[in-house]
Amino acid sequence: MSVRNDIGKLHLPEVLDGVTSAADWEVRRQEIVALLAQEEYGPIPDFPCEITYEVGPNERYGGGSADYYQVTITVTTPRGSHAFPLSCVIPRAGRPCPAFVHVNFRGGVPDSYMPSEEISDNGFACFSFCYNDVTMDNADFTDGLAGLVYPDGVRGPHDPGKISLWAWAAMRAMDYIATLPAIDQKNIGIIGHSRLGKTAIWTAANDLRYSFVFANQSGCCGAALTRGAPEDAEHIDQICKTFPYWLCENYKKYVGHIEELPFDQHWLLATIAPRRLYVSSAEEDRWTGPDSQYRACVETAKVWEALGCVPGFTGPDAYPGGNDAFQEGYIAYHSRTGDHFLSRRDWLQFMKYFKKYRNQ
Ligand code: GTR
């Protein structure tokens, strides 16, 4: 089966739109981000506030190989304030370390989705926060950060959904990390799994300080193309019914009308160009559409190639499976056996790629 043939049948909206230079691409890239904000996620909130960072006590981590501490990030507006903790594990390396920022489902260190000691032993700092500590993963827009952004909990059709609020928090984490001499500022990646993989990509679309993105099994409204989603994968009618609050209200108008979408998810991926993008799938995780994620990587690679970032993507014109990995391009992809999970095996692949292309 030819992936290219399958892509041809989808009649995807053209992402490059004639762009051939880096300067033109940045203009086009910003247009795409604005369109995705308007139609799909809502913009990253922009509201007057004061932000403080309170650094907690330092603890030895990993037998003294790293430092661990928490930073309390407090957001204050005339309406009130909200605080959430950022966990920090920084190797005692004696030189600036590359770093992951992990938008996670839980706040603990280590975590079943985050082998912190192993990440640190590989030379990476790891900053993480729990998305529910920012604003709860539900339809309540009076909770936490949402309560500061929305005076009465009511949103207009183009206002930010929860993904944009979690992305805002990842940008505030970056504001703090940007002050740390222990971190190699040119090599900071954002990582998330599933709904937080969607969040990771959308954060980096809006924040160029992130030079790597690792989107694990991000699926529908993440790395998977909306057009051509297979039967057993999530479709936008399902996501808009079950999780409408992740997105802007306006996105619902495309339910049953996906041919009217002026973009597809390869446009979201393209917003990372010319930086490094890593998309991963799990073989049994049919709901996130491994084939649709792969098609998006193949299609969006043309953007990197047009910018002279070659190879854009090295995966073949055939669907991968098992533990196939293609890591020689600006876009990397792996499949792994097993199901929906951010596993140690995924992290090992991500770290391998990050080490190889750090500073390139
Ligand atoms: C599912 C949802 C997916 C994915 C997943 C997750 O229920 O349909 O879009 O985000 O949750 O976050 O684990």
Side-chain angles (χ1 to χ4, degrees):
M1 253 198 306
S2 160
V3 176
R4 281 251 146 253
N5 276 352
D6 289 352
I7 291 172
K9 291 182 206 144
L10 298 178
H11 305 292
L12 295 173
E14 175 50 50
V15 60
L16 260 175
D17 201 27
V19 168
T20 52
S21 75
D24 289 350
W25 171 246
E26 188 47 30
V27 175
R28 171 76 175 141
R29 204 191 72 79
Q30 285 175 23
E31 274 169 23
I32 294 172
V33 172
L35 183 68
L36 295 172
Q38 160 92 7
E39 299 297 307
E40 188 169 6
Y41 305 100
I44 305 295
D46 183 12
F47 59 105
C49 63
E50 196 198 319
I51 299 170
T52 58
Y53 297 86
E54 192 193 327
V55 179
N58 206 350
E59 286 172 30
R60 285 161 71 85
Y61 192 78
S65 60
D67 290 305
Y68 165 78
Y69 60 91
Q70 280 201 346
V71 176
T72 304
I73 303 179
T74 306
V75 191
T76 305
T77 74
R79 264 181 235 133
S81 68
H82 178 67
F84 64 96
L86 177 72
S87 292
C88 313
V89 175
I90 305 180
R92 294 183 175 170
R95 60 183 180 283
C97 306
F100 287 98
V101 176
H102 183 194
V103 188
N104 199 1
F105 286 86
R106 294 158 297 272
V109 168
D111 175 72
S112 57
Y113 280 1
M114 187 174 63
S116 303
E117 189 176 345
E118 187 161 11
I119 295 165
S120 171
D121 284 350
N122 274 275
F124 295 95
C126 191
F127 300 88
S128 61
F129 65 87
C130 171
Y131 75 143
N132 276 325
D133 287 343
V134 175
T135 180
M136 290 297 286
D137 187 3
N138 59 31
D140 177 8
F141 277 87
T142 63
D143 164 82
L145 178 66
L148 299 181
V149 173
Y150 294 103
D152 46 12
V154 180
R155 347 182 251 159
H158 299 285
D159 286 340
K162 293 271 167 114
I163 285 177
S164 282
L165 298 184
W166 299 322
W168 183 92
M171 291 166 77
R172 301 299 69 83
M174 177 57 111
D175 294 342
Y176 167 71
I177 297 162
T179 67
L180 300 178
I183 301 304
D184 172 359
Q185 300 294 329
K186 296 232 168 326
N187 290 285
I188 301 177
I190 184 158
I191 177 168
H193 169 67
S194 206
R195 67 199 70 182
L196 300 176
K198 310 180 209 302
T199 304
I201 311 170
W202 182 233
T203 304
N206 286 280
D207 192 335
L208 293 170
R209 296 172 294 179
Y210 285 107
S211 45
F212 285 77
V213 179
F214 301 90
N216 197 61
Q217 300 153 34
S218 59
C220 182
C221 297
L225 290 177
T226 303
R227 289 170 177 80
E231 281 286 297
D232 55 2
E234 187 171 25
H235 290 237
I236 71 166
D237 44 342
Q238 288 144 337
I239 207 166
C240 287
K241 196 159 167 232
T242 320
F243 303 109
Y245 48 87
W246 288 351
L247 307 159
C248 70
E249 293 284 345
N250 189 40
Y251 193 58
K252 286 185 188 150
K253 72 183 181 205
Y254 297 110
V255 171
H257 305 282
I258 59 169
E259 69 292 344
E260 287 171 19
L261 271 169
F263 54 86
D264 208 308
Q265 292 305 111
H266 62 304
W267 288 38
L268 173 69
L269 299 185
T271 64
I272 307 308
R275 296 167 288 163
R276 299 264 170 190
L277 169 68
Y278 200 127
V279 172
S280 46
S281 302
E283 210 176 28
E284 292 169 35
D285 182 19
R286 308 314 302 172
W287 188 242
T288 56
D291 291 354
S292 300
Q293 296 205 133
Y294 190 73
R295 287 197 276 263
C297 292
V298 170
E299 181 63 15
T300 205
K302 63 165 75 155
V303 174
W304 276 261
E305 305 247 340
L307 299 174
C309 299
V310 283
F313 183 53
T314 56
D317 189 28
Y319 292 102
N323 289 306
D324 289 339
F326 311 106
Q327 300 175 331
E328 307 302 319
Y330 277 76
I331 303 168
Y333 180 95
H334 75 245
S335 165
R336 71 153 167 77
T337 51
D339 56 19
H340 195 60
F341 194 75
L342 174 48
S343 71
R344 178 178 169 274
R345 287 189 287 153
D346 296 310
W347 277 98
L348 291 177
Q349 296 278 34
F350 298 150
M351 290 193 287
K352 186 168 152 204
Y353 183 75
F354 203 157
K355 281 182 192 171
K356 187 163 174 189
Y357 292 106
R358 181 183 171 191
N359 294 326
Q360 283 182 46

